[in-house]
Amino acid sequence: MNRYISGVWHKEVPFKISFLTWRVIQDKLSTEDRVAGFGIEIDPICHCCNNNNQNLITENVDHLFCLGEHAKKIWRFFAGPLGIDYNNMNLKMLLLKWWNFKARNCIAKLITRILPLIICWELWKSRCSKKFENIRLSFYRTKTNILFTLVQILNSSFGRARLGEDWQTIYVACEAVIERRILKIIKWNKPSFRAVKLNSDGSCIQGTCGGGGLVRNNQGIVIFAYFIPLGPGTSNFAEATSMLFGIKWCAANGYRLVLGETDSMLITRCIRREQKVPWRIKSIITEIQDIVEEHGFVIIHCFREANRPADKLASLSHSSDMIHVFNSFADLPNQVKGLVNMDRWDLPSFRIKTAKPGHITSNPP
């Protein structure tokens, strides 16, 4: 049955290739030496070589798939550029060489697992064509069929990588460093019953700082919000001062169950005494620590995607030279209302992280 019907990769081919490989490894293939073992007379002709000097060699699995003239040419073409040894070894050792190859990326890992199986499949097809249809072995035809099968599998797994359709392009990709992008769903989590959550953020543009934040209850309703211009400073100064402003408001208004979130890992670790505090913000961090420890507040880190309303409020601080406070949702700027509603309705954001930089990008579906 053809494996390419109306331009579509035939779904039965992978099963056929796997089944043939299992039979080859188990020595269950009907090669000439196996047939002769049942007492059946066979013609002493090798069907896996075009060289007349090898016509009297009894066909067996090793000769057919790795030691014969035709097989050696194929293995040389594909194994040589990858640096995999293929000379003077039986088929099982050759397969182990490929499967134990230390791949540099996921493309090379897939190729070294499946390419030996495809080669065995095409060598067997070539042998059967010569034996039963008297079609002369062709290195070009076998190589082309192997590449076609390989390209179909690679395109289904790494379609966006655009690896090309010739072996020279494909094996170069085996040495490339792959850039994998990991997609993560991020949501703002509502605080527990009777607790409030403070989200704060800082902004620093060309040395000018500002901060913003908001306090919400367990239903996501805004109780208090603010943005404050801070003048010259650093981003750490802006993050810490913005957090201090919100913490002071919570303490002054009698809130005892307060969960503070900031997307600055440094500020979080400094407040929790897990990291040495930079001297420029030491007094601010010390004041936050005193309030947190006195009232039993909890400060944690969150991703920037879960801190968008506070980030927007911090950016608005650059458009004003005075402190702005908002005591209800209706008072908030229109740019912030939509972000607050998205958090209240549990709508997620998406965080795309690059796991390893490289020349080829493998995107999540």
Side-chain angles (χ1 to χ4, degrees):
M1 183 179 294
N2 281 336
R3 38 194 199 118
Y4 193 68
I5 300 177
S6 302
V8 179
W9 168 248
H10 200 280
K11 62 182 180 181
E12 292 184 5
V13 174
F15 172 76
K16 292 181 178 179
I17 294 176
S18 300
F19 183 64
L20 173 77
T21 306
W22 177 85
R23 295 190 66 185
V24 169
I25 294 174
Q26 298 295 325
D27 198 16
K28 302 293 184 181
L29 213 57
S30 57
T31 53
E32 300 293 354
D33 65 326
R34 290 277 298 171
V35 174
F38 291 103
I40 302 174
E41 292 187 6
I42 59 172
D43 295 329
I45 298 176
C46 176
H47 300 287
C48 54
C49 299
N50 283 323
N51 192 339
N52 293 328
N53 294 330
Q54 299 188 25
N55 281 345
L56 298 180
I57 296 177
T58 303
E59 178 191 85
N60 57 37
V61 167
D62 290 331
H63 183 74
L64 169 58
F65 291 105
C66 58
L67 299 177
E69 167 212 358
H70 186 59
K72 281 185 176 181
K73 289 181 180 179
I74 295 297
W75 288 112
R76 184 184 304 117
F77 178 80
F78 287 101
L82 295 177
I84 300 175
D85 188 18
Y86 59 89
N87 285 315
N88 301 320
M89 61 180 67
N90 59 40
L91 182 62
K92 290 183 179 179
M93 289 298 299
L94 183 58
L95 292 176
L96 285 175
K97 281 279 186 180
W98 278 79
W99 292 338
N100 291 330
F101 180 77
K102 293 183 179 180
R104 293 192 59 181
N105 57 51
C106 53
I107 296 176
K109 185 175 181 179
L110 179 61
I111 288 175
T112 53
R113 298 300 184 275
I114 65 171
L115 186 54
L117 315 187
I118 300 171
I119 292 175
C120 291
W121 169 254
E122 292 298 338
L123 289 174
W124 178 249
K125 284 180 58 182
S126 298
R127 175 262 188 193
C128 292
S129 296
K130 182 179 180 184
K131 180 176 181 179
F132 299 109
E133 301 177 26
N134 200 27
I135 298 176
R136 181 176 174 83
L137 298 177
S138 169
F139 168 77
Y140 177 79
R141 182 173 60 248
T142 304
K143 177 197 72 174
T144 303
N145 289 340
I146 292 170
L147 281 174
F148 171 81
T149 306
L150 179 63
V151 168
Q152 294 298 312
I153 295 174
L154 291 177
N155 285 342
S156 66
S157 302
F158 308 101
R160 298 183 184 183
R162 299 179 181 177
L163 299 176
E165 298 185 359
D166 59 281
W167 180 234
Q168 287 75 14
T169 304
I170 293 172
Y171 76 69
V172 168
C174 293
E175 297 294 321
V177 178
I178 303 295
E179 179 181 286
R180 293 187 65 247
R181 292 177 180 172
I182 301 172
L183 183 66
K184 188 174 183 179
I185 298 175
I186 304 295
K187 290 198 305 182
W188 178 80
N189 296 316
K190 296 174 183 176
S192 59
F193 181 65
R194 292 185 179 178
V196 296
K197 178 179 282 190
L198 164 67
N199 285 88
S200 68
D201 199 6
S203 175
C204 185
I205 301 177
Q206 296 180 350
T208 302
C209 297
L214 68 166
V215 180
R216 288 172 281 186
N217 64 14
N218 65 309
Q219 296 180 349
I221 298 174
V222 175
I223 302 171
F224 174 73
Y226 59 91
F227 64 77
I228 48 177
L230 298 173
T234 64
S235 58
N236 289 335
F237 167 76
E239 295 275 1
T241 306
S242 179
M243 170 65 75
L244 177 61
F245 188 92
I247 287 290
K248 280 184 173 181
W249 184 89
C250 291
N253 285 270
Y255 290 99
R256 292 294 177 260
L257 298 175
V258 177
L259 176 63
E261 281 189 341
T262 172
D263 55 28
S264 171
M265 180 63 77
L266 183 141
I267 298 299
T268 304
R269 292 177 63 86
C270 287
I271 294 173
R272 296 167 66 169
R273 304 182 187 276
E274 297 174 353
Q275 181 173 329
K276 186 177 180 180
V277 182
W279 66 269
R280 292 178 182 272
I281 59 173
K282 187 172 180 59
S283 60
I284 303 172
I285 295 296
T286 301
E287 190 172 355
I288 295 174
Q289 289 172 338
D290 292 342
I291 298 173
V292 166
E293 292 167 2
E294 179 183 351
H295 294 85
F297 296 167
V298 177
I299 307 298
I300 64 173
H301 174 263
C302 68
F303 289 115
R304 182 175 300 173
E305 290 78 7
N307 204 33
R308 294 177 301 167
D311 178 71
K312 176 56 70 174
L313 286 165
S315 66
L316 292 174
S317 67
H318 296 285
S319 61
S320 176
D321 56 358
M322 59 184 296
I323 297 175
H324 287 256
V325 296
F326 312 93
N327 295 308
S328 68
F329 175 82
D331 297 334
L332 288 173
N334 290 331
Q335 306 98 307
V336 182
K337 287 182 179 178
L339 297 174
V340 170
N341 280 333
M342 289 182 67
D343 288 346
R344 186 179 178 185
W345 298 333
D346 291 328
L347 296 178
S349 299
F350 299 96
R351 180 180 181 85
I352 299 177
K353 179 182 177 182
T354 300
K356 182 184 290 185
H359 308 297
I360 299 177
T361 300
S362 178
N363 288 324

